[in-house]
Amino acid sequence: MENTIDDLKKPAHLAPPSGGRGGESIHVFAPATVANVVCGFDVLGFAVDEPGDEVIMRVTGKPGITISKITGDDGRLPLDPAKNTVSVSVQHYLQSVGRSDIGLDIELHKKMPIGSGLGSSSASTVAGLFAIKTLLGDDSDPIKLLPFAMKGEEMACGHGHADNVAPALFGGFVLIRSYEPLDVVRLPHPKNLWCAIVFPDVDVPTREARQIIRKNIQMKDAVTQWGNIAGLVSGLFMQDIDLIGRSMKDVLVEPVRSMLIPDFYKMREMAMELGAVSFGISGSGPSVFAFTRDEATARSITQKLQQHLTGLKIGSNSYVSTINDAGPKVLG
Ligand code: HSE
């Protein structure tokens, strides 16, 4: 027997044992994200309009979660619900709301490359969590989903950072002020800030990109870094794009991770010459991004950087958007 949406909205002990129309489903999109935003390792991130992942979730009659289909992953992601970050996060959520009795089937449609530095696992996990929250009619604050989404990150790369999942969930620009206790702050941003993203098609798994960074840092580097983070946050509040640009410098992580990205410094030089406000690594890479003041500059940067990568015999994808304030959305 299938559950109905009305059944789902009831606490488990009240749900009728059988009956109902069944077949309810939801189709959700969640956006890619740029984590770190150059100087804010693990504490800053923002969402973009594209790319993003999609989840179709259907209510079934049999308790438990199945994954019937994953597309766009070249067979890299597990269909086993015990091993997939989407199903595991959804399962944790269901347990927390006392609804492990529900049966769900998940289809995951990856619309962005895996291991790209664009929060690929986060987009999938957030789409799944937003889908079940909406199906259940759970109108509590989306912040309640964040710990479940962070569990998905921990599973995907060995560390439960929130700088991809939080902006994927809330949209916009997000600061993780503290992890223990979790304290997340939504930041304003200038409306005319455009983001040009280029993904060079080389694989940089986040787990490995985290292992190579230094564990100890010099006080003088810490001073530089926190000055820049404060400058970036101030620039966002003040809508001061010059201040945003000159604050986006990273003396801690970028010097190490840039080695994993083909011609990183050449691409930065090209982007800045073409009028970028700032340029850096998106998340753990290999994607790079530039902020610009307009769409035309963003498009000329993606075009020139992709041409450059083609010259190096490296395939690439690019995306141009403003900052996505909406976060996840129901497509049907
Ligand atoms: N803050 C994380 C990192 C983001 O840089 O490892 C991963 O996308």
Side-chain angles (χ1 to χ4, degrees):
M1 281 297 169
E2 313 244 282
N3 298 109
T4 67
I5 292 292
D6 287 339
D7 293 341
L8 292 177
K9 288 176 184 167
K10 291 169 191 160
H13 62 281
L14 292 181
S18 63
R21 302 179 304 279
E24 286 83 357
S25 71
I26 190 166
H27 184 176
V28 169
F29 162 91
T33 44
V34 173
N36 301 335
V37 202
V38 180
C39 52
F41 179 71
D42 276 359
V43 301
L44 284 172
F46 63 87
V48 289
D49 289 335
E50 55 146 7
D53 284 347
E54 293 174 24
V55 160
I56 299 172
M57 190 175 277
R58 291 188 187 85
V59 181
T60 66
K62 200 165 157 235
I65 302 178
T66 53
I67 302 175
S68 57
K69 194 194 262 188
I70 304 179
T71 63
D73 70 326
D74 290 330
R76 289 171 64 182
L77 298 178
L79 284 160
D80 179 349
K83 296 191 178 144
N84 188 291
T85 56
V86 181
S87 40
V88 169
S89 307
V90 169
Q91 186 63 53
H92 279 294
Y93 166 82
L94 286 175
Q95 270 160 10
S96 83
V97 296
R99 294 310 316 263
S100 301
D101 60 312
I102 291 171
L104 295 173
D105 179 67
I106 293 172
E107 274 184 32
L108 172 59
H109 298 285
K110 297 292 304 172
K111 307 275 176 159
M112 69 172 113
I114 296 168
S116 56
L118 294 171
S120 170
S121 57
S122 306
S124 303
T125 305
V126 165
L129 286 167
F130 194 77
I132 185 60
K133 181 180 188 292
T134 310
L135 273 178
L136 285 173
D138 173 357
D139 55 9
S140 61
D141 191 322
I143 187 108
K144 298 224 169 97
L145 297 180
L146 194 54
F148 305 110
M150 288 167 68
K151 278 228 172 297
E153 288 296 83
E154 195 173 342
M155 208 177 146
C157 74
H159 188 266
H161 51 272
D163 50 341
N164 289 114
V165 281
L169 189 56
F170 306 125
F173 231 109
V174 178
L175 166 70
I176 321 302
R177 205 278 308 160
S178 156
Y179 276 88
E180 286 177 24
L182 200 53
D183 186 358
V184 176
V185 183
R186 288 197 68 169
L187 302 173
H189 59 85
K191 291 288 164 250
N192 57 335
L193 203 53
W194 284 80
C195 179
I197 294 173
V198 174
F199 163 61
D201 195 357
V202 294
D203 209 11
V204 178
T206 297
R207 190 183 291 269
E208 285 158 38
R210 292 187 76 85
Q211 278 162 0
I212 62 168
I213 55 185
R214 287 177 285 159
K215 301 286 175 287
N216 297 301
I217 58 169
Q218 298 281 334
M219 178 60 87
K220 75 173 176 36
D221 288 339
V223 170
T224 305
Q225 199 82 4
W226 60 55
N228 280 329
I229 296 172
L232 171 53
V233 172
S234 304
L236 291 169
F237 272 93
M238 294 159 71
Q239 317 254 320
D240 182 337
I241 292 182
D242 288 332
L243 177 57
I244 290 170
R246 63 179 189 274
S247 303
M248 286 173 63
K249 306 221 165 75
D250 173 16
V251 294
L252 300 180
V253 180
E254 183 183 280
V256 183
R257 282 187 172 167
S258 54
M259 293 184 292
L260 303 174
I261 299 168
D263 259 358
F264 174 78
Y265 290 104
K266 175 68 188 165
M267 288 198 285
R268 170 146 81 196
E269 187 188 314
M270 289 172 70
M272 297 312 284
E273 273 171 14
L274 288 162
V277 169
S278 56
F279 179 87
I281 304 172
S282 172
S284 55
S287 290
V288 291
F289 77 104
F291 275 148
T292 68
R293 293 169 192 273
D294 57 69
E295 181 176 3
T297 308
R299 293 208 182 274
S300 77
I301 289 171
T302 55
Q303 192 200 357
K304 289 283 169 9
L305 295 193
Q306 286 196 273
Q307 269 171 12
H308 182 73
L309 288 165
T310 304
L312 299 175
K313 302 204 175 346
I314 296 170
S316 62
N317 291 357
S318 69
Y319 312 93
V320 168
S321 88
T322 50
I323 290 165
N324 169 353
D325 285 315
K329 61 179 184 231
V330 175
L331 300 179

